[in-house]
Amino acid sequence: MLVSNGGAEDLIGAALARELRVLGIEQLRALPLVGPGEAYQGVAERVGPVLALPSGGFPFGSLSNLQADLRAGLIGTSLRQGQAALQQGSRAEQVIVIGDVYALLVGTLAARRKPGAGPRLPLTHLQPLVSRLYAEGMTLPDHLRELNALGANRFMPWEIALGRQARRVYTRDRASAGYLARRGVNAVYRGSFAMDVLPAPDDTLAPLLDGRPVLALLPGGRGDARESLPIMLATAAGCPEFQALVAWPRPWDELPELPGWSVQVQSDGLAQACAAGTRVLLLRGAFSSVLHTARLAVGTAGTASEQAAGLGVPVVAFPTHGPQYTPGFARRQARLLGAALTVVAPDPLAVTAALRALHRPQAHLHAALVGRDRIGAPGALPQIAAELLQP
């Protein structure tokens, strides 16, 4: 039984499920705690009530996020998901959690089973969210200013206590594994979850490239794109030395309003935005290819920016009004990625200046090396799958 709470976490859970299937495990159930868990389609049976959150899984990113999620039924549906975890636990042999401390709490409920249903189940936790690096350089006043993100910036005592009950906890970086291990958690690092779920690129972009360095525009799949995509396009117009490519993850009819730009959809996977002599291509289903061809990126997306950094593509970011890429989230990601992420004001001129600074060979090399080091190499999920089957 897999328990995950978020879009990126569902992708990791589904990828792990595929690895388990390769090893002969056929009966897999998934309890996605945020959204419908579409990533599990065809690899695991989805169970439990669906919770659609306006925040996209970031209720504590801002007060407005929390209010919207409460109105959407956060509390009632969460309670029903806890009941589903208990019920499904009685039918499982192992529980695997992919997510934060809330997902770990739900997974712990599932591992306890119903009274009389047998001994406690083996519990494994993949923690792709919290990192020891998030708190790097933070002082007590810094933590007080980000109280709503305290559980994202550091491992809290209750997460450590729950982690001690797990057979093993897999972390997103070595620093986090060492921190938890010193506190009695059987924590290890096997590689980057984010890079494991990045598919291999294909060569479909080759006919579209014109020889200029590629600038990947990563507005993300949440509501932040309404604010960020117009700024990114204005940046592209001010940086003619780059060929800008937008990695758009949603249907074309969900593009935000783009004042001053004319958008022409050419196919299910390709559109173009034109304004005053500037043409920017928008691509669907080509995210990995865009990242693999890019020299630099502009991002207001969590996992996508981390994957870019992991490929050695430095990222320039700017905060939005949410739901995900708020000022607090931008600060946390900057601490995580170090020199691989430059956070500037949400202004095309500021973004352009940062891009040109990172385009210089020495600055680019330094940022690329830091990004690869901070994110790590792929290969975690095949190792984890094999270890889950060990006695």
Side-chain angles (χ1 to χ4, degrees):
M1 176 180 175
L2 300 112
V3 179
S4 54
N5 66 330
E9 291 81 1
D10 292 348
L11 288 173
I12 295 168
L16 180 59
R18 283 189 285 271
E19 295 290 343
L20 288 169
R21 284 191 174 277
V22 169
L23 297 176
I25 304 301
E26 295 294 334
Q27 295 186 1
L28 294 162
R29 294 185 181 89
L31 174 59
L33 302 177
V34 178
E38 294 175 353
Y40 289 110
Q41 181 70 38
V43 293
E45 177 190 354
R46 288 173 287 180
V47 296
V50 171
L51 176 58
L53 295 179
S55 74
F58 295 89
F60 299 109
S62 67
L63 180 59
S64 61
N65 280 10
L66 180 59
Q67 290 172 333
D69 286 356
L70 288 172
R71 287 193 295 269
L74 173 63
I75 294 176
T77 307
S78 296
L79 291 173
R80 291 194 297 274
Q81 288 178 335
Q83 293 173 342
L86 287 169
Q87 293 168 356
Q88 294 298 324
S90 65
R91 306 168 59 194
E93 295 181 2
Q94 285 196 51
V95 176
I96 306 161
V97 172
I98 308 99
D100 60 12
V101 66
Y102 172 67
L104 179 57
L105 176 61
V106 174
T108 301
L109 287 174
R112 286 177 179 170
R113 293 188 169 186
K114 293 180 179 179
R120 177 184 170 82
L121 296 172
L123 174 67
T124 301
H125 184 203
L126 280 64
Q127 173 46 288
L129 298 171
V130 183
S131 169
R132 182 66 177 154
L133 299 174
Y134 275 130
E136 190 172 66
M138 291 188 76
T139 62
L140 179 59
D142 293 331
H143 281 297
L144 292 175
R145 280 192 292 270
E146 295 187 12
L147 273 178
N148 64 318
L150 190 59
N153 286 332
R154 58 185 303 124
F155 294 99
M156 302 305 292
W158 43 89
E159 179 170 0
I160 294 172
L162 289 171
R164 291 188 186 120
Q165 299 180 43
R167 184 171 75 166
R168 181 165 285 172
V169 173
Y170 294 94
T171 64
R172 61 179 299 164
D173 50 59
R174 289 187 180 85
S176 297
Y179 179 84
L180 291 175
R182 291 191 295 272
R183 285 154 180 81
V185 178
N186 184 19
V188 295
Y189 169 71
R190 294 290 186 249
S192 171
F193 309 128
M195 302 312 291
D196 274 345
V197 298
L198 181 65
D202 55 40
D203 59 358
T204 56
L205 295 190
L208 303 175
L209 302 181
D210 61 16
R212 289 177 294 168
V214 169
L215 173 64
L217 304 181
L218 313 173
R222 297 185 172 88
D224 305 82
R226 290 191 297 269
E227 184 178 345
S228 64
L229 186 54
I231 294 174
M232 292 180 182
L233 292 179
T235 299
C239 292
E241 64 268 38
F242 296 103
Q243 181 181 9
L245 302 178
V246 178
W248 182 249
R250 309 291 298 175
W252 293 127
D253 59 7
E254 294 185 28
L255 279 168
E257 292 186 13
L258 302 170
W261 292 83
S262 172
V263 178
Q264 298 175 340
V265 175
Q266 299 182 350
S267 68
D268 185 59
L270 176 65
Q272 63 177 4
C274 300
T278 299
R279 185 179 75 131
V280 177
L281 298 181
L282 297 90
L283 299 144
R284 294 182 66 243
F287 171 73
S288 181
S289 296
V290 170
L291 278 196
H292 278 86
T293 59
R295 177 170 175 82
L296 296 170
V298 181
T300 53
T303 302
S305 294
E306 293 173 16
Q307 289 169 326
L311 289 175
V313 179
V315 183
V316 176
F318 53 85
T320 74
H321 288 93
Q324 179 182 21
Y325 219 84
T326 60
F329 188 97
R331 288 193 297 269
R332 289 194 297 278
Q333 194 169 59
R335 292 193 295 269
L336 173 72
L337 298 181
L341 181 74
T342 303
V343 178
V344 299
D347 176 78
L349 293 177
V351 179
T352 297
L355 287 171
R356 286 176 172 156
L358 284 169
H359 190 37
R360 297 175 187 140
Q362 188 171 356
H364 185 275
L365 177 61
H366 174 65
L369 292 174
V370 169
R372 291 192 180 101
D373 179 66
R374 291 292 183 109
I375 295 300
L381 295 181
Q383 293 184 67
I384 293 171
E387 291 172 9
L388 286 169
L389 302 188
Q390 294 174 358

